[in-house]
Amino acid sequence: MTRDITPAGSPAIGAVDEAFAEVRASFDRFCLAAGIEALGTMMEADVTAACGPRHGRDAARRAHRWGRTRGRIGFHGGKIEVERPRARGVDGREVTIPSWETAAQEDWLGRWAMNLMLINVSTRRFGRAVRLPEGDVPAPPGSGVSKSAASRRFVALSAARLADFMAADLSALDLLVVQIDGLHLGDDLVLVAAIGIDGEGNKHPLALVEGATENAATVQALLDNLVSRGLDPTVPRLFIADGAKALSKAIRRTFGSAAAIQRCQIHKARNIMERLPKEHHAPTRRVLRQAWELDDADKAEKLIRNLARRLDQQWPGVAASILEGLDEILTVVRLKLPKELRRSLACTNIAENMMGTIRRVTRNVKRWRDAGMALRWVAAGMIEANKGFRRLKAHKQLSVLRAALQAHHDRMTIKPVAHVTRAA
């Protein structure tokens, strides 16, 4: 009979001592060695399940061992070589080792590359970001930490995420607000993005399209994409745009003439100020702010018309600009929304916030080669911005918006019934 001759309570030696020696030498090497050891144990278990015990004679086995080989798996943003077992089935074909397939197929490298590029680590510095220059884990040629390797992974993963983003089903989202804004990346390259707010106040990046200019055709392509993915065009919603006529035209063509459109008040004020001399800025801005803070849309419109009348003699073009789209500037006032909710929905600040994240993400890009590259980068920036979104400040008042939109829709679409005089 075999007896256990290890004294009770004595510390284990061998593997533990070697592990602690690795820790003292380099924690990186210790983690690497521990991970390889764990993966080796899992692979051996998979081989045993397929081939039976080593040197055993199991008639029911479906494969037999076929030596060992070396392969590469991801580690710390790069690749390392690992020895793995091989097995062949009774038909002579290679048998896959599930644990190895999982380790090899896991897209850690793509996620490393995308994460670092989204926080503005350039591809030239990728290798230094994932492997310490003085560290004990080497990065020889072929380890996947080069500039080109990181770039290829980012392109592949960002393209996949763009495809998923542009095909996501929107029918389950209870969207009350849709903001649309454009991002100019070059003289002949404009991206138009949409972001939605649901009934709980949560924000959702929705879609992105490219075009040469921010015209009606580009916006129409964006809206068609939203509708094709499940956005019901018959549901009353509030659309917030930056003031371009093309946006309003495309929105009304897609969602009906009764669609509630709010032009961004910040964009409107900025455009007016840019055309006026400095001495007119303060009084003009004061009148606009006063009008937008009023609860009565008729009084607000009167204030703005009076402002345009005062400026008409010296600055007729600016006066015309003030009156252009006046109804859409006061949409949130006409809907009689609470003041806090009006402030949140009277401008495209939510979309501008997202655009700020996109500009930060893409600041390392020196040249946009084509629209496909721009779409991948900007979509990645939109997804990154989504991680930091918070609920709308006035989310508790969104039920008021829902009721107001329905009342506005009913008022604009229900046709009056003509009275018929019955003959005596």
Side-chain angles (χ1 to χ4, degrees):
M1 182 178 69
T2 304
R3 291 187 301 170
D4 185 1
I5 60 174
T6 303
S10 65
I13 58 174
V16 174
D17 288 343
E18 292 178 6
F20 276 107
E22 291 283 357
V23 173
R24 285 193 294 270
S26 166
F27 188 72
D28 263 359
R29 290 193 64 82
F30 166 70
C31 292
L32 177 58
I36 292 175
E37 181 69 23
L39 179 60
T41 302
M42 295 167 62
M43 290 190 293
E44 189 59 37
D46 290 339
V47 172
T48 301
C51 304
R54 188 178 293 276
H55 307 302
R57 296 185 178 277
D58 186 357
R61 69 181 182 180
R62 54 186 179 87
H64 54 275
R65 290 172 173 80
W66 197 259
R68 305 181 74 82
T69 188
R70 299 188 70 83
R72 291 182 175 181
I73 58 173
F75 178 77
H76 264 219
K79 297 179 180 179
I80 55 169
E81 280 197 348
V82 177
E83 190 177 67
R84 66 177 181 88
R86 298 177 67 189
R88 286 190 180 271
V90 293
D91 58 356
R93 296 181 179 180
E94 186 91 9
V95 174
T96 59
I97 310 300
S99 53
W100 172 259
E101 291 295 315
T102 301
Q105 292 176 2
E106 188 69 33
D107 192 20
W108 285 109
L109 300 185
R111 280 182 273 176
W112 267 91
M114 188 153 192
N115 180 65
L116 289 178
M117 294 180 76
L118 289 178
I119 59 175
N120 297 124
V121 175
S122 66
T123 54
R124 294 181 184 276
R125 298 183 178 181
F126 180 82
R128 184 174 178 179
V130 298
R131 302 282 175 89
L132 288 173
E134 68 276 10
D136 292 329
V137 178
S143 59
V145 297
S146 66
K147 170 191 169 185
S148 57
S151 180
R152 284 194 299 269
R153 293 190 204 110
F154 177 79
V155 170
L157 188 56
S158 60
R161 292 193 177 183
L162 172 63
D164 293 340
F165 173 63
M166 292 299 294
D169 184 20
L170 303 179
S171 59
L173 296 179
D174 177 28
L175 296 177
L176 286 180
V177 180
V178 176
Q179 288 194 12
I180 301 174
D181 203 359
L183 180 65
H184 293 255
L185 297 179
D187 295 336
D188 296 318
L189 180 58
V190 176
L191 298 186
V192 181
I195 179 173
I197 304 173
D198 64 23
E200 299 297 322
N202 299 310
K203 303 162 189 174
H204 307 270
L206 299 177
L208 179 70
V209 297
E210 80 283 6
T213 60
E214 197 174 342
N215 55 21
T218 303
V219 179
Q220 189 64 56
L222 175 75
L223 299 179
D224 290 345
N225 177 270
L226 295 177
V227 172
S228 68
R229 289 161 52 199
L231 188 69
D232 188 351
T234 64
V235 175
R237 294 185 183 88
L238 176 65
F239 294 88
I240 308 174
D242 64 1
K245 294 181 180 179
L247 293 177
S248 299
K249 181 179 179 181
I251 290 170
R252 297 195 190 283
R253 183 188 299 126
T254 305
F255 297 95
S257 58
I261 302 175
Q262 170 66 45
R263 288 202 184 187
C264 177
Q265 294 175 351
I266 293 178
H267 278 84
K268 187 69 173 181
R270 185 185 303 149
N271 294 338
I272 294 171
M273 296 305 134
E274 287 176 352
R275 300 180 62 182
L276 285 174
K278 289 186 178 179
E279 60 265 23
H280 290 286
H281 285 191
T284 302
R285 189 178 290 111
R286 189 183 310 114
V287 172
L288 291 175
R289 187 180 298 113
Q290 182 182 358
W292 293 333
E293 291 293 326
L294 289 175
D295 295 327
D296 189 324
D298 293 334
K299 291 182 179 179
E301 181 177 343
K302 186 177 180 180
L303 272 177
I304 296 176
R305 289 188 179 278
N306 288 339
L307 172 64
R309 191 177 300 112
R310 291 197 299 270
L311 293 174
D312 184 58
Q313 185 174 359
Q314 291 183 320
W315 304 94
V318 178
S321 175
I322 292 174
L323 297 178
E324 191 271 326
L326 182 57
D327 289 342
E328 294 179 354
I329 296 173
L330 299 173
T331 297
V332 292
V333 183
R334 296 190 189 283
L335 290 175
K336 300 185 182 302
L337 302 181
K339 184 171 293 186
E340 185 180 4
L341 185 59
R342 286 208 311 263
R343 289 174 178 171
S344 298
L345 301 180
C347 59
T348 57
N349 274 359
I350 297 172
E352 288 291 337
N353 185 304
M354 181 178 70
M355 294 299 178
T357 301
I358 292 170
R359 292 186 184 95
R360 176 186 61 77
V361 166
T362 60
R363 71 183 181 188
N364 280 342
V365 179
K366 306 304 180 186
R367 181 175 66 89
W368 298 103
R369 291 193 298 271
D370 50 44
M373 176 186 178
L375 284 170
R376 288 189 291 99
W377 272 96
V378 174
M382 293 175 68
I383 297 170
E384 180 74 5
N386 189 39
K387 299 175 184 177
F389 281 158
R390 299 179 181 179
R391 293 173 74 182
L392 193 73
K393 285 185 178 179
H395 64 274
K396 294 182 180 179
Q397 300 173 346
L398 285 173
S399 58
V400 179
L401 173 63
R402 190 188 298 275
L405 287 172
Q406 188 61 56
H408 170 79
H409 183 268
D410 294 342
R411 185 170 60 253
M412 297 293 291
T413 56
I414 295 177
K415 297 180 180 179
V417 179
H419 295 283
V420 179
T421 303
R422 180 178 294 179

